[in-house]
Amino acid sequence: MVLLFWLTLGFALAGLLTGLAFAVVSGLRAWRNLKATSSKISGKLDEIAQATAEIETHLDRAAASSARLSAGLERLAEARARLDVLRAALDEARSTVTRAVPFLPSR
């Protein structure tokens, strides 16, 4: 009976130690995975920060280009208005010359 007690106690102790070893190994594995995941997340966050900085640069350039484009469109509208005035004056002059040519003396 005493032998059965010691065998059962040894078996229980072996089970306890095996469970403890399994828990330690699983905990270490989880810790390593956590560290690896943390470093991957940190790297991705750095990439996102860099991409955000590049986007800000592109947006600033786009805003500057938009301002230049607006100024250019205003100059184009002014030039187009001047061209329309000059065309109207040219058409009027042609009309006047066309009407006056028949009355000019021939050589």
Side-chain angles (χ1 to χ4, degrees):
M1 189 75 170
V2 174
L3 181 61
L4 184 60
F5 171 75
W6 287 110
L7 284 175
T8 306
L9 184 62
F11 184 71
L13 188 59
L16 180 66
L17 291 176
T18 304
L20 185 61
F22 179 76
V24 168
V25 169
S26 295
L28 286 174
R29 186 177 304 137
W31 177 253
R32 288 182 190 135
N33 286 338
L34 178 66
K35 283 174 42 177
T37 302
S38 175
S39 66
K40 286 179 184 177
I41 289 173
S42 176
K44 293 297 180 184
L45 286 175
D46 290 342
E47 289 178 17
I48 290 171
Q50 182 180 2
T52 302
E54 290 176 7
I55 289 171
E56 287 177 6
T57 303
H58 290 297
L59 287 175
D60 291 341
R61 288 181 184 169
S65 295
S66 175
R68 287 194 315 267
L69 179 61
S70 295
L73 287 174
E74 288 176 13
R75 288 192 311 271
L76 179 63
E78 291 172 7
R80 180 71 181 176
R82 272 189 255 127
L83 176 64
D84 290 342
V85 168
L86 291 174
R87 276 186 155 170
L90 180 62
D91 289 343
E92 186 179 335
R94 279 186 183 161
S95 168
T96 303
V97 169
T98 304
R99 281 183 278 144
V101 164
F103 299 109
L104 290 177
S106 60
R107 292 185 187 179

